[in-house]
Each structure stands twice: as structure tokens, then as C-alpha cells.
């Protein structure tokens, strides 16, 4: 293979040009789907998921993005040579993937590790592809218009939540609280009920995302995309230009910023403040900044280190971060994450394993366990290790470096965004939304004809209509008339958006929600592509492939797709389909078929503990439904939890449930080995406490088992620890919620008083 610098892209064949338009349409469709359908920020166990197909959906979308890049590469290899635009992201991505592979080897849940890494890598590969595809300013503006329009869709959804649906949710809940709690699996008068009520009564808006912070992050990106389009229209207007397109785009910017304010996300406001500062600096000193980018990057390193040291020193001294009570709990997340990394300094705990390990380090007083440290640096470091973090940061810094590259292309360019391909893209993306969203988000059964019609309009047609309106307002009517010698501000605006977004995600996990992550890498690709379009001489390289290298490259692409399908996608699809069938069988009471299907699901995916854990829970459910008259059902439950532990020995939940099974076996009339069941219950409960030492509920469980065995000293120790944990939690609860007169017990008032009474009795007080 030979490479040489080139001043212009190698001419593309007509077939390749058409294929690239198709790939661009697919990428835009995935961005639209992920921005209008809620996806979990981490592909957690199917047992914990509301719908097992959620994991399949996320994996499939990231698979499509990955395959698009591989197919583009293979197509170019078939043509024997192509022009490749270097983004700088490639080396960092390679390092990150190596780090992900090494971290995956030590991950407790190998399926979760593969899925998490695959979902994270898909948008990054999309960014590499978009850098190649966005070879004109009009294509860059098309992507920006799509992101801005999707921001408008989420703004419409947020307004609907703010003005109506949140109130309807509260009214529905207050009409029959017990039924609603039972549907959600929440015990009445529990801490979980308090957290649920706190969430719905807070009136937060989330758009199509999980949290208001995620919505704020997306709106930050969308508002800067719209701002780039607005400023470009203003700067390129002529005496004959009409003000209507400028006013329309300004309206979109205003709506996005208004809804951004409604989210009330403090971290996002901080990110917006820094982004605005970067943009002002760019406008005033952009040329100087480009000329001194090396010195600026070098100077930023000690500044970042000093800032991290200062934050850490403040936290160690005050036991919290500066700010409100949310900064108190974030410091607890960060300190636990530091302890987690200290125990796994070379590899991290594995992709997707933060939630499993966090309970090992969670402070006893902390209100709840979390799935992420709310800091993207710590999240990558703890899960992918130092190599993964170096690779991830290298990708981002390379994109920023490219965005700061000097411009040399100052020739006039004339184009229109409202071209026939752009219109085709708009309707193609809309068609994908109309086809896919009803499949993933179907209307509930049993609705009336009128409710069905209203649901179709609100859930399916309205988002597409707002999307098309957003495209019309932001993109249509734009004319690119680049004036010679005048630098573009698009690169500076995107640079500011990326920096502001990253600063926000130093305090949140929005970057790992797939819809936000995909939009972020799309705008990052626009930043790099804009720099490449303005200075192609230092960005493009002509690649010529010999027949042997071409065959090897094509083979590597085919192997990559086959490997992805075999290891990442097909096992999950097969296992999930069987779990879904089992769920249907449960609804009709065919439990023999249920357990057969779950056994098949366990074998279909040789890495996942999900099917085994679900099978164990269903055996317990059947035992309780039979009023605990058939202890034979507990033996397969025991075996199922043991199998689940064999595939994830770090998570505490299977140990806790296994201890429950052993206790029930010890209390049954089933012939057994006598006290052996109780001893096994003690060992399993000890394993659960070891993996979640800050859980008062597990301490009480272990204490009761120890007391039954006559291990009085251990029982006293565990009861004392349970009371101590509950008391420390209550102190923090009063700190965070000072307006509440009473404290909502996390352990439960009955168990709390029970632990205190048993302590007195065992001590002889």
C-alpha cells in the first residue's frame, strides 16, 4: 500500500458517490432515531431492563453505524484506491479499543462488557465515516440542520411534559397509588417510593432522554448547531437576501435556549458558560489561537492537572464539592470511584461493570447506588483502565487539534443546502422515523379507537412534523457564498460546543446516553470535516492498494463484520428472543415452557447471566404463589442463581437471592442435609455483604441467619452495623432534604426497630 499527500480528493466513481449518499442518509437516520427514542446509558442486564429488546435495539443501531464504516472501507478497497481524510481520531480509537479488549478480559460480566464497548464504539466509527462523507460545506450544514431540528423535536416534547404530561402522570398516580406502585414493583412507604415521588413531583423535563441533564446536553449541542447555521446566514447575506430565513433560524435558536433553561441543569449551564467564553475568544482572537495551538495545548495540560488537584483537595478537606447538595453526592461518587480504580489500576473493572463494583465502595451514608460516577473521565478510567482513558481523550484532543488547524481554502464556494439530495435526505429520515418508532414504541393494548388515533398523532406524526419544520427553519433557504479571505465561524462554534459539552459531562453521565453520544460525535465529525474542507492539503492522503493488500483489507473487513455478528449481536438477539417468549409464556401460566425457554436462552448466550438469574426469580415466584407448599421448586432456583453467579461473581443480587433460597429450604420439610442449608445461607449472605458492605438490609439478613445458627457475636456485629448504616443515612437525608420534617427510612422502620430490639435482647439489656 502506498500513500502520498494530495491537494485534492481522488475523484470518486459515480457508484461510490451514490453509496456515500446512502451511508450519510443511514447515519442521519440513526442520529434521528436515537434522539427520539429513549435508550439506557448502559446496556445493563436483561433482568434489570423493562423490555429485553431495549438492549437489542441499542446494539443493532450501533452495529449499523459500525457496519457502515466497514462497508465504506471495503467498497473503497474494491476500487483499488481512495482518498482518505485523516481526522487524528484513528490512533486514539485504536488505543481505546485495545484498552477495551484488555479491560473486557477482567470484566465480571463478559456479555455486558462486549455490549457496552460495542455501543460506545459505534458512534465513534460513525464520526470517522462522516469525516470522509462531509466533503463539502453543504453536507456539513445538512448534519447541523438535522441535529438542530432534532433539538426542536425534543424541545416540543419537553414543552409537552412541562405543560401537560407531567401533571397527568401525577394525577394518575394520586388516583390509585397502591396500584401504580405495584405495577412498578415499588414497596409502599419505602425509600424507593420516596425517590419515585420526588422525581415525578419535581416536574423535570427530559424530552426523549432519561434525565433532564441528558436533555440539557443534547440541547446544548443542538443550539450551537443552529447558531452555526444562523451566523453563517448572517455573515453570507447579500443586499438581495431576504431576512425571513435568518429570522426563522433565530427563532429555532431562541426556542432551543429557552427549553435549555427549562431543564434547570446547573452542570449544563456551566458548560454553556464556558462554551460561550470559548466562542467569544474565537471571534476576537481566532487567528492568534490557530497560530499558537501547540502552545495552548501544552499550557492546558498543567491547568487541567492543577484544576483536578484543587477539586480533589477541596473535596478531601470539606467532604464534598463546592455547590449545592448534588455536589455532596457527586463527591461520594468520585471518592468511591477513586477507591475502585486504586484496586484495579491497570485494567479497570471492565466495560459496563461500574454498577456491579460501585456497591463494593459505596459510602454507607450515600442515599442510593449509581451506574456511573457522573464524570466521563472517571467513568472511562474505572471501566476501561488507563489505556482506555488515554485513547478516549486522544480521540477528543485530536478532533480539537484538527479544529484549530489554520485555514488555507479561501476560494469562493457557491452551493445551496436546498438541493434535491437534501430534500431526499429529509424525507428519507422522516420515513425511517415513521417506520421504526412505532415498532420500538408501540401503542398499548386495549386502547379505544379515539385513543389510538390520538396516540398515532402524538407519538409518531408530531415528532416527524416538528423535525421537518425544524429542517425548514434552520436549513432550507440557506445559500453558501463564501467571500474570499473571510474565515468561517462554523469551526469555532463547533469547537465551543464540544468544549462546553465536555465540561458539562465532567459533572454528569449524559455523554454515555446513546442519543447524546451519537449527536456529540456527529458534531465532532462536523468540526473535523469543516477543518478538512478549509485546508484539504494537510488533511487528505491518496491511498493506493496493491492486489494483495486489497485482498487482505477486504478480508479484514469481512472478518470484522462476522466477528461482530458472532460475538456481539447474534447471541444477544437469540437469547433475548427466547426470554421474550418466556415472558409471554408466564402470562398464560405455562411455567414448564418458561423454564425450558430460559434454559435455552442461557445456552444461546454463553456469556450472559441474565437468563439464569431470571429463571431463579421465577422459581421463587412459583414457590410463593403455591403458598410455599412445594419446596421442590427451590432446588432449581438454587441451581439457577449458582449459574448466574458463575457468569458474574461480582454483583451482590444473586448472592442475596441465593441466601433467601437457602433460608427457605432450611425452613421447609424437604429432606436435606440438616443444618447445611442454613450454613450455605450464611455463606451466600456473607458473599452479598462482602459485595455491598454499605447495605443495611443485607446486614440484617446476615444477622438473622447468624442468630439462627447460634453465632451470637456475628449477629450482634451485623445488627450494630445495620443500625449504624441506617443512622448515617438518616443524617445525610436530613442534610439533603432539610425541608422534610420526617426521614424516610431506607431500611424500613419495622426492620430498623427490629434490629435495635434484637441488639438489646442479644446483649441482655
Amino acid at each position: 500500500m502506498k500513500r502520498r499527500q494530495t491537494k485534492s480528493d481522488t475523484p470518486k466513481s459515480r457508484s461510490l458517490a451514490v453509496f456515500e449518499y446512502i451511508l450519510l442518509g443511514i447515519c442521519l437516520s440513526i442520529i434521528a432515531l436515537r434522539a427520539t427514542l429513549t435508550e439506557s446509558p448502559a446496556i445493563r442486564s436483561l433482568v434489570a431492563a423493562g423490555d429485553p429488546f431495549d438492549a437489542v435495539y441499542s446494539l443493532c443501531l450501533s452495529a449499523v453505524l459500525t457496519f457502515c464504516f466497514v462497508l465504506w472501507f471495503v467498497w473503497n478497497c474494491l476500487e483499488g484506491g481512495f482518498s482518505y481524510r485523516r481526522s487524528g481520531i484513528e490512533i486514539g480509537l485504536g488505543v481505546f479499543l485495545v484498552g477495551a479488549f484488555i479491560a473486557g478480559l477482567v470484566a465480571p460480566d463478559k456479555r455486558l462488557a462486549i455490549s457496552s464497548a460495542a455501543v460506545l464504539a459505534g458512534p465513534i466509527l460513525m464520526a470517522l465515516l462522516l469525516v470522509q462523507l462531509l466533503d463539502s460545506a453543504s453536507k456539513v450544514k445538512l448534519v447541523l440542520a438535522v441535529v438542530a431540528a432534532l433539538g426542536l423535536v425534543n424541545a416540543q416534547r419537553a414543552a409537552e411534559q412541562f405543560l401537560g404530561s407531567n401533571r397527568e402522570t401525577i394525577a394518575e398516580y394520586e388516583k390509585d397509588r397502591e396500584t401504580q406502585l405495584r405495577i412498578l414493583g415499588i414497596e409502599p412507604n419505602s425509600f424507593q417510593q420516596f425517590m419515585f415521588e420526588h422525581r415525578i413531583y419535581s416536574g423535570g423535563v427530559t424530552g426523549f432522554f432519561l434525565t433532564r441533564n441528558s436533555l440539557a446536553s443534547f440541547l446544548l449541542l443542538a443550539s450551537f448547531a443552529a447558531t452555526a447555521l444562523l451566523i453563517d446566514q448572517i455573515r453570507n447575506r447579500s443586499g438581495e437576501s431576504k431576512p425571513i430565513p435568518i429570522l426563522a433560524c433565530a427563532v429555532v435558536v431562541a426556542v432551543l435556549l429557552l427549553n435549555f433553561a427549562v431543564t434547570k441543569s446547573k452542570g449544563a449551564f456551566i458548560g454553556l458558560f464556558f462554551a460561550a467564553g470559548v466562542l467569544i475568544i474565537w471571534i476576537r482572537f481566532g487567528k492568534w489561537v490557530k497560530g499558537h495551538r501547540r502552545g495552548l495545548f501544552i499550557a492546558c495540560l498543567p491547568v487541567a492537572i492543577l484544576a483536578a488537584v484543587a477539586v480533589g483537595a477541596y473535596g478531601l478537606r470539606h467532604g464534598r464539592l463546592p455547590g449545592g447538595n448534588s455536589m455532596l453526592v457527586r463527591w461520594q461518587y468520585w471518592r468511591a470511584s477513586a477507591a475502585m480504580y486504586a484496586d484495579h489500576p491497570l485494567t479497570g473493572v471492565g466495560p459496563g461493570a461500574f454498577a456491579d463494583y460501585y456497591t463494593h465502595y459505596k459510602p454507607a451514608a450515600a442515599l442510593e447506588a449509581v451506574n456511573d460516577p457522573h464524570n466521563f473521565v472517571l467513568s472511562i478510567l474505572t471501566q476501561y483502565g488507563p489505556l482506555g482513558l488515554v485513547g478516549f481523550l486522544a480521540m477528543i484532543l485530536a478532533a480539537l487539534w484538527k479544529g484549530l488547524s489554520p485555514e488555507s481554502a479561501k476560494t469562493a464556494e457557491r452551493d445551496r443546502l436546498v438541493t434535491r439530495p437534501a430534500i431526499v435526505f429529509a424525507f428519507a429520515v422522516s420515513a425511517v422515523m415513521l417506520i421504526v418508532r412505532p415498532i420500538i414504541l408501540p401503542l398499548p393494548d386495549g386502547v379505544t379507537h379515539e385513543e389510538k388515533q390520538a396516540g398515532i398523532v402524538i407519538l409518531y406524526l408530531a415528532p416527524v412534523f416538528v423535525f421537518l419544520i425544524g429542517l425548514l427553519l434552520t436549513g432550507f433557504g440557506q445559500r453558501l457564498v463564501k467571500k474570499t479571505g473571510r474565515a468561517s465561524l462554523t469551526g469555532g462554534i463547533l469547537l465551543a460546543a464540544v468544549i462546553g459539552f465536555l465540561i458539562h459531562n465532567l459533572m454528569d453521565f449524559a455523554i454515555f446516553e446513546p442519543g447524546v453520544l451519537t449527536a456529540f460525535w456527529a458534531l465532532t465529525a462536523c468540526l473535523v470535516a469543516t477543518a478538512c474542507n478549509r485546508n484539504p492539503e494537510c488533511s487528505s492522503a491518496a491511498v493506493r492498494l496493491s492486489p494483495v493488500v486489497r485482498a487482505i483489507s477486504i478480508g479484514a473487513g469481512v472478518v470484522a463484520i462476522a466477528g461482530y455478528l458472532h460475538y456481539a449481536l447474534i447471541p444477544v438477539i437469540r437469547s433475548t428472543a427466547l426470554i421474550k417468549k418466556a415472558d409471554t409464556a408466564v402470562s398464560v401460566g405455562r411455567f414448564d415452557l418458561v423454564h425450558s425457554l430460559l434454559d435455552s436462552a442461557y445456552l444461546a448466550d454463553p456469556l450472559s447471566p441474565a437468563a439464569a438469574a431470571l429463571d431463579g426469580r421465577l422459581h421463587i415466584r412459583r414457590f410463593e404463589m403455591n403458598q410455599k407448599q412445594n419446596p421442590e421448586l427451590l432446588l432449581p432456583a438454587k441451581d439457577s442463581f449458582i449459574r448466574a453467579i458463575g457468569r458474574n461473581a461480582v454483583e451482590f443480587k444473586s448472592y442475596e437471592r441465593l441466601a433467601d433460597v437457602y433460608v427457605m429450604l432450611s425452613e421447609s420439610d424437604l429432606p436435606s442435609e440438616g443444618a447445611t442449608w442454613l450454613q450455605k445461607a450464611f455463606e451466600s449472605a456473607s458473599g452479598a455483604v462482602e459485595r455491598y458492605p454499605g447495605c443495611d438490609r443485607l446486614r440484617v439478613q446476615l444477622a438473622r441467619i447468624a442468630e439462627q445458627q447460634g453465632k451470637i457475636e456475628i449477629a450482634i456485629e451485623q445488627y450494630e452495623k445495620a443500625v449504624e448504616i441506617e443512622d448515617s443515612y438518616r443524617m445525610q437525608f436530613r442534610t439533603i432534604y432539610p425541608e422534610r420534617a420526617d426521614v424516610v427510612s431506607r431500611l424500613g422502620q419495622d426492620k430498623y426497630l427490629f434490629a435495635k430490639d434484637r441488639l438489646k435482647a442479644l446483649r441482655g439489656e
Side-chain angles (χ1 to χ4, degrees):
M1 180 173 65
K2 297 181 181 180
R3 296 185 180 182
R4 63 180 178 82
Q5 298 291 333
T6 179
K7 292 185 178 182
S8 61
D9 292 340
T10 301
K12 299 176 183 178
S13 64
R14 181 176 179 81
S15 59
L16 177 58
V18 172
F19 183 58
E20 288 190 346
Y21 272 111
I22 294 173
L23 293 179
L24 179 56
I26 293 174
C27 290
L28 293 177
S29 298
I30 299 297
I31 295 170
L33 288 175
R34 285 196 149 162
T36 57
L37 282 169
T38 305
E39 293 180 61
S40 174
I43 305 300
R44 297 299 304 157
S45 168
L46 295 180
V47 176
D51 185 342
F53 274 107
D54 288 348
V56 174
Y57 173 70
S58 291
L59 277 172
C60 286
L61 292 189
S62 285
V64 171
L65 295 177
T66 301
F67 295 167
C68 282
F69 175 79
V70 175
L71 291 174
W72 176 86
F73 176 76
V74 169
W75 189 297
N76 279 278
C77 289
L78 288 172
E79 295 202 345
F82 56 96
S83 178
Y84 185 81
R85 309 173 84 184
R86 296 189 300 272
S87 65
I89 298 175
E90 296 84 358
I91 296 177
L93 176 58
V95 174
F96 173 77
L97 292 177
V98 171
F101 176 78
I102 295 173
L105 295 177
V106 302
D109 186 336
K110 298 297 190 295
R111 171 55 57 212
L112 186 58
I114 293 174
S115 297
S116 298
V119 170
L120 187 58
I124 301 173
L125 290 170
M126 177 202 70
L128 286 180
L129 176 62
L130 287 178
V131 171
Q132 314 306 318
L133 302 182
L134 304 180
D135 52 8
S136 69
S138 60
K139 291 181 180 178
V140 171
K141 288 182 176 293
L142 175 62
V143 176
L144 297 180
V146 167
V147 173
L150 292 171
L152 203 62
V153 174
N154 274 275
Q156 180 268 334
R157 172 64 176 162
E160 176 189 320
Q161 292 171 338
F162 182 76
L163 298 174
S165 61
N166 285 353
R167 298 175 185 175
E168 293 173 2
T169 300
I170 294 172
E172 187 71 20
Y173 172 68
E174 292 180 342
K175 185 187 302 181
D176 190 351
R177 298 190 180 209
E178 292 185 3
T179 301
Q180 293 296 324
L181 292 175
R182 186 170 59 253
I183 293 173
L184 295 170
I186 297 176
E187 184 180 348
N189 302 317
S190 65
F191 176 72
Q192 288 72 26
Q193 179 183 354
F194 165 76
M195 294 301 294
F196 171 72
E197 291 181 351
H198 177 71
R199 184 170 63 254
I200 66 172
Y201 284 114
S202 64
V205 296
T206 61
F208 289 101
F209 299 99
L210 284 173
T211 68
R212 63 179 184 177
N213 287 322
S214 296
L215 174 61
S217 254
F218 187 84
L219 290 178
L220 189 153
L221 296 173
S223 60
F224 272 79
T227 300
L229 296 170
L230 172 62
I231 292 181
D232 198 74
Q233 283 200 52
I234 295 174
R235 286 166 61 86
N236 291 328
R237 70 185 186 279
S238 63
E240 301 176 356
S241 300
K242 297 182 179 179
I244 295 179
I246 295 177
L247 292 175
C249 199
V251 168
V252 173
V253 174
V255 170
L256 293 176
L257 291 177
L258 176 62
N259 279 267
F260 180 88
V262 172
T263 64
K264 300 179 183 178
S265 172
K266 296 178 183 178
F269 278 114
I270 294 174
L272 181 64
F273 173 80
F274 276 93
V278 170
L279 182 56
I280 292 172
I281 293 173
W282 182 272
I283 294 174
R284 294 292 302 274
F285 310 105
K287 189 174 182 180
W288 182 90
V289 169
K290 292 177 183 179
H292 297 80
R293 59 175 179 165
R294 187 183 301 274
L296 287 173
F297 267 72
I298 295 174
C300 285
L301 179 61
V303 171
I305 294 175
L306 287 174
V309 170
V311 170
Y314 184 96
L316 291 172
R317 182 176 180 181
H318 298 89
R320 60 180 298 151
L321 297 172
N325 288 326
S326 61
M327 292 295 102
L328 167 62
V329 296
R330 273 173 174 74
W331 172 249
Q332 292 177 330
Y333 303 158
W334 294 3
R335 191 165 186 176
S337 300
M340 184 189 302
Y341 174 68
D343 288 343
H344 307 83
L346 298 179
T347 62
V349 298
F354 182 90
D356 292 339
Y357 272 99
Y358 179 73
T359 56
H360 298 214
Y361 304 93
K362 172 182 169 289
L367 269 60
E368 57 182 341
V370 293
N371 296 332
D372 188 273
H374 291 60
N375 178 296
F376 81 91
V377 174
L378 284 175
S379 184
I380 296 293
L381 179 63
T382 54
Q383 296 179 84
Y384 293 84
L387 197 60
L389 178 62
V390 168
F392 194 83
L393 292 179
M395 289 187 285
I396 294 173
L397 292 176
L400 296 177
W401 176 268
K402 185 69 71 173
L404 288 171
S405 60
E407 298 178 356
S408 64
K410 295 183 178 179
T411 56
E413 178 186 356
R414 295 178 180 272
D415 197 1
R416 282 184 63 86
L417 191 55
V418 189
T419 56
R420 186 174 302 173
I423 297 174
V424 171
F425 279 131
F427 285 99
V429 173
S430 300
V432 171
M433 292 173 65
L434 286 173
I435 294 171
V436 176
R437 295 186 78 254
I439 297 174
I440 306 301
L441 190 67
L443 293 173
D445 297 329
V447 297
T448 64
H449 180 69
E450 292 76 12
E451 290 173 335
K452 184 176 181 180
Q453 288 182 326
I456 290 173
V457 172
I458 296 173
L459 293 178
Y460 310 139
L461 298 181
V464 173
F465 177 74
V466 175
F467 172 72
L468 290 173
I469 292 297
L471 280 180
L472 180 65
L473 295 177
T474 57
F476 293 176
Q478 285 208 36
R479 183 184 297 277
L480 300 176
V481 186
K482 297 298 180 185
K483 300 180 180 179
T484 303
R486 191 171 190 179
S488 171
L489 283 179
T490 300
I493 295 171
L494 295 177
L495 183 76
V498 169
I499 293 175
F501 176 86
L502 293 173
I503 289 175
H504 173 211
N505 282 275
L506 289 174
M507 297 166 280
D508 200 70
F509 61 86
I511 187 174
F512 297 113
E513 191 162 344
V516 180
L517 180 71
T518 307
F520 166 71
W521 281 109
L523 260 64
T524 301
C526 289
L527 170 63
V528 175
T530 298
C532 292
N533 293 339
R534 299 290 294 178
N535 192 5
E537 289 85 353
C538 66
S539 302
S540 299
V543 180
R544 296 287 181 264
L545 303 176
S546 65
V548 174
V549 174
R550 187 191 312 174
I552 294 174
S553 300
I554 294 172
V558 173
V559 169
I561 293 178
Y564 193 108
L565 291 172
H566 180 72
Y567 289 103
L569 195 56
I570 292 178
V572 178
I573 293 176
R574 287 177 176 172
S575 179
T576 302
L578 291 168
I579 290 175
K580 190 70 173 178
K581 288 181 180 179
D583 183 61
T584 302
V586 168
S587 64
V588 296
R590 298 188 60 188
F591 287 102
D592 291 340
L593 177 60
V594 169
H595 296 303
S596 175
L597 289 168
L598 290 177
D599 286 339
S600 299
Y602 177 81
L603 297 174
D605 188 347
L607 300 178
S608 174
L614 181 56
D615 188 54
R617 291 170 60 187
L618 287 175
H619 278 295
I620 294 177
R621 178 181 169 186
R622 289 183 64 193
F623 176 69
E624 293 174 342
M625 288 172 60
N626 286 300
Q627 299 180 344
K628 302 184 179 181
Q629 298 298 316
N630 185 8
E632 292 286 348
L633 293 171
L634 295 174
L635 294 177
K638 167 185 69 72
D639 295 336
S640 294
F641 287 126
I642 290 175
R643 289 191 298 172
I645 290 172
R647 291 186 177 180
N648 185 349
V650 172
E651 187 183 32
F652 75 92
K653 293 178 182 177
S654 291
Y655 286 90
E656 179 185 10
R657 290 167 182 146
L658 183 59
D660 290 336
V661 170
Y662 283 133
V663 169
M664 287 185 283
L665 282 169
S666 71
E667 296 171 348
S668 70
D669 296 329
L670 187 70
S672 64
E673 301 175 8
T676 303
W677 292 130
L678 206 55
Q679 176 58 30
K680 289 184 176 181
F682 178 82
E683 293 170 357
S684 298
S686 298
V689 169
E690 180 184 352
R691 289 157 178 79
Y692 197 171
C695 181
D696 39 20
R697 182 188 72 254
L698 296 178
R699 296 281 185 175
V700 171
Q701 180 193 42
L702 179 57
R704 297 179 70 170
I705 296 171
E707 189 177 353
Q708 287 179 291
Q709 290 184 296
K711 300 176 181 179
I712 304 304
E713 293 299 323
I714 295 178
I716 291 174
E717 178 188 358
Q718 296 304 318
Y719 281 132
E720 286 178 341
K721 199 66 179 176
V723 172
E724 178 186 330
I725 292 171
E726 174 71 6
D727 288 341
S728 64
Y729 151 78
R730 292 186 176 206
M731 290 180 61
Q732 180 159 319
F733 187 94
R734 292 188 184 97
T735 300
I736 296 179
Y737 303 106
E739 71 281 358
R740 285 189 64 95
D742 61 324
V743 173
V744 179
S745 174
R746 182 175 59 192
L747 177 60
Q749 189 67 15
D750 292 341
K751 285 186 179 180
Y752 181 58
L753 295 177
F754 170 82
K756 283 190 168 185
D757 291 341
R758 293 311 303 156
L759 269 177
K760 290 180 181 180
L762 294 175
R763 288 171 176 168
E765 298 177 359

